[in-house]
Amino acid sequence: MLKVENLRAGYGAINVLWDVSLNFPLGELTAIIGPNGAGKSTLLKAVMGLVPTTQGSVSLDGYPLTDRATWDMASLGLALIPEGRMVFRDMTVEENLTMGAFPKPHRAALGRNLERVFGLFPKLRERRRQLAGSLSGGEAQMLAMGRGLMSEPRVLLIDEPSLGLAPVIVREIFDILRGLKQQGVTIVLVEQNTRMALGLADGVYLMRAGRVILAERAAAVDIDRLHDLYFAREGAAGDVADAVFK
Ligand SMILES: Nc1ncnc2c1ncn2[C@@H]1O[C@H](COP(=O)(O)OP(=O)(O)OP(=O)(O)O)[C@@H](O)[C@H]1O
Ligand SMILES: [Mg+2]
């Protein structure tokens, strides 16, 4: 279990996450949805140690991650695929992927992982010598995902992979996530596309204004209520969910 307990985090004087608690059971895909500015990306960054926390803890199988260095996360089995598909534009596709294998223990497995990623994304193989800056948006997202997978993560955190992409590419990306889940990878997916996220997720959290306001099994979600809470419509205040998945 990846466990976030009572986490408070932000940027200097600006606090963003207010005592959030979320559980991410191993082997499951958990979706985090919520409007812009809810703190979803901040949460993923805080898990990876990219944003300082002022209270609470993050642990993986009982092992504390808070205060571990970000560069340690890959060897602990975590990888973040950040929003905005940041790739090194002046490097080739293959060079970008190789960067994802940087943590020492994974260098030996470089060739095997390259093959695995090219197997998942055949377009990246075709374009392996092309500069990343010349890729289409969908290809760049695939490259960002491929790079995240080069360290063979057990736990993959992925931030809005579908943003701005054509529906056919979005389906391709969701198919890849489904495949990874079937292989046993634990996935935390931040996604604005609620319906698609629910179609794939085991559990779902809704965040608003730095708090978790709903925690539910995806199959049990009432989508109308979810949207009421999402948009904070009148009369839908609900009780703030302290619930986490056991
Ligand atoms: N580097 C930063 N410095 C200061 N404030 C920041 C920084 N990054 C994010 N914030 C603020 O933190 C809050 C939460 O941002 P965050 O990016 O986590 O939201 P989000 O839920 O991921 O939104 P979106 O759906 O738009 O990606 C916002 O109010 C944002 O302005
Ligand atoms: Mg975000």
Side-chain angles (χ1 to χ4, degrees):
M1 180 91 83
L2 173 65
K3 222 172 162 58
V4 173
E5 285 175 288
N6 270 324
L7 198 71
R8 192 175 283 204
Y11 305 89
I14 306 165
N15 194 67
V16 173
L17 300 176
W18 296 96
D19 314 343
V20 294
S21 295
L22 307 89
N23 281 348
F24 303 104
L26 296 186
E28 292 199 352
L29 188 149
T30 306
I32 303 177
I33 58 171
N36 295 121
K40 307 179 298 296
S41 298
T42 303
L43 175 68
L44 298 193
K45 285 189 268 186
V47 168
M48 294 299 283
L50 291 164
V51 166
T53 61
T54 52
Q55 182 197 291
S57 66
V58 181
S59 62
L60 180 59
D61 281 341
Y63 184 88
L65 300 182
T66 334
D67 304 327
R68 292 293 295 251
T70 301
W71 52 263
D72 243 4
M73 294 299 172
S75 48
L76 295 168
L78 283 100
L80 168 67
I81 300 171
E83 66 187 329
R85 49 198 81 117
M86 286 179 276
V87 296
F88 301 101
R89 299 176 57 85
D90 296 331
M91 292 168 69
T92 65
V93 165
E94 186 164 327
E95 285 164 348
N96 266 277
L97 291 174
T98 306
M99 295 295 287
F102 185 70
K104 246 189 189 150
H106 298 285
R107 277 185 213 156
L110 180 63
R112 177 166 50 83
N113 279 315
L114 261 182
E115 276 313 303
R116 198 168 61 93
V117 168
F118 286 149
L120 285 172
F121 303 104
K123 276 195 194 123
L124 294 184
R125 188 196 299 276
E126 285 168 29
R127 288 163 171 66
R128 63 198 293 174
R129 311 223 182 282
Q130 189 173 320
L131 289 183
S134 63
L135 295 176
S136 71
E139 289 162 357
Q141 182 59 48
M142 287 173 189
L143 179 55
M145 288 176 72
R147 193 176 55 197
L149 293 171
M150 285 295 288
S151 60
E152 289 180 274
R154 297 194 283 146
V155 180
L156 186 67
L157 313 177
I158 179 161
D159 198 350
E160 303 210 33
S162 75
L163 198 69
L165 300 180
V168 58
I169 311 283
V170 174
R171 272 195 296 277
E172 240 177 87
I173 284 167
F174 272 70
D175 284 345
I176 298 280
L177 292 177
R178 186 175 292 113
L180 291 170
K181 187 183 139 182
Q182 278 161 3
Q183 289 167 27
V185 179
T186 304
I187 301 174
V188 178
L189 170 68
V190 168
E191 184 53 62
Q192 300 265 359
N193 189 328
T194 309
R195 277 179 203 280
M196 285 204 70
L198 285 176
L200 196 58
D202 301 290
V204 59
Y205 285 101
L206 173 62
M207 289 182 68
R208 269 190 69 88
R211 292 186 162 85
V212 171
I213 58 168
L214 180 92
E216 228 160 38
R217 304 307 293 171
V221 165
D222 173 345
I223 192 118
D224 292 331
R225 173 155 183 273
L226 184 78
H227 281 152
D228 282 347
L229 288 169
Y230 193 110
F231 297 111
R233 281 198 275 261
E234 205 78 41
D239 39 329
V240 172
D242 277 327
V244 291
F245 307 122
K246 302 292 180 234

